[in-house]
Amino acid sequence: MPEKNIDLHGSAPDKHRFALLLIDVINDFDFPEADQLLKHARPMARILLRLKRRAQEAGVPVIYVNDNFGQWKSDFQRTVDHCVMQGRGRDVVKLLRPEESDYFVLKPKHSGFFSTTLETLLRYLETQTLILTGIAGNFCVLFTANDAYMRDFNLLVPSDCTVSNTKKENDLALRLMKKFLKADTRSSSRIVFRDSKGKLEQRRRSRRNTARSKP
């Protein structure tokens, strides 16, 4: 009997309790409210990049969950190139452009789980907690969080790593996710990647524990 396929034939070699999802950050911003959204997306992108780097250093899988933005006859790399070359938010896309070590899942609708391979990928990665980030907090991030909650994932939605057209709309979405989906909405700076097992804790708690361990 052949051995069980434990890594999707080499396509999912990582194993971690946590996964960082970047939702619709590869975006051509070709819609009427784009300028309004970009005002919030540009500063968010810099913060999100720092979170991504810290996740990579801790061995946390990074997964781009993305629409094709009208490029359904092309692959994901061509979608990225389209958004870099022709999108109104090309500076955001250049900053958050996927790297070779990153995973990606293409979605046809708002939720990252609807008619996609995301759930299968997360099962092979042995993920228990999702860190949801990206655009827009009150649509695709919220819909993905709803579906993740129904699948019994633990949720972290850093308040400074997701944006909507307005701060009011984004704050409302975060409150909904915190109240009804039990999401932890602490800021990204308060997330600490401790070790290869993906354990997270608040920086202040870590500092207190360190102080207590000193002779």
Side-chain angles (χ1 to χ4, degrees), residues 28-204:
D28 60 9
F29 293 92
D30 186 18
F31 45 86
E33 302 86 4
D35 290 337
Q36 188 178 14
L37 184 57
L38 276 168
K39 180 177 67 174
H40 304 289
R42 287 187 170 108
M44 182 275 291
R46 292 189 290 271
I47 298 170
L48 178 50
L49 181 60
R50 289 196 292 270
L51 180 64
K52 178 185 176 182
R53 292 291 179 242
R54 292 170 48 219
Q56 289 173 319
E57 290 174 1
V60 173
V62 175
I63 307 171
Y64 285 74
V65 181
N66 226 93
D67 284 346
N68 253 15
F69 295 101
Q71 305 298 305
W72 282 100
K73 291 186 178 180
S74 65
D75 58 26
F76 185 52
Q77 184 56 54
R78 289 180 63 185
T79 299
V80 174
D81 293 341
H82 161 76
C83 293
V84 167
M85 296 175 64
Q86 301 181 35
R88 297 166 68 181
R90 58 178 63 91
D91 52 333
V92 172
V93 179
K94 288 178 180 178
L95 197 64
L96 296 174
R97 190 169 189 156
E99 298 162 276
E100 188 174 350
S101 61
D102 298 331
Y103 297 90
F104 72 88
V105 171
L106 291 176
K107 61 183 180 67
K109 300 290 282 186
H110 300 84
S111 171
F113 288 93
F114 179 76
S115 296
T116 77
T117 59
L118 180 59
E119 187 171 6
T120 299
L121 173 60
L122 293 171
R123 184 172 71 248
Y124 277 93
L125 295 176
E126 300 179 2
T127 300
Q128 299 172 27
T129 298
L130 301 181
I131 306 170
L132 303 183
T133 67
I135 303 168
N138 61 339
F139 280 102
C140 294
V141 176
L142 177 59
F143 277 68
T144 301
N146 281 327
D147 282 355
Y149 179 76
M150 289 191 294
R151 288 163 172 78
D152 295 319
F153 286 101
N154 302 314
L155 296 176
L156 276 164
V157 187
S159 57
D160 55 352
C161 287
T162 181
V163 293
S164 306
N165 282 354
T166 67
K167 185 179 185 301
K168 182 178 179 180
E169 291 172 331
N170 204 64
D171 288 346
L172 176 58
L174 288 168
R175 287 198 297 271
L176 289 172
M177 287 185 275
K178 182 175 183 178
K179 181 176 181 179
F180 296 110
L181 308 182
K182 315 305 179 188
D184 186 333
T185 59
R186 71 182 71 178
S187 65
S188 60
S189 64
R190 296 180 62 209
I191 296 175
V192 177
F193 299 95
R194 292 189 61 196
D195 53 35
S196 60
K197 294 181 180 180
K199 186 176 180 182
L200 301 175
E201 64 176 19
Q202 295 183 20
R203 289 183 183 275
R204 292 178 182 175

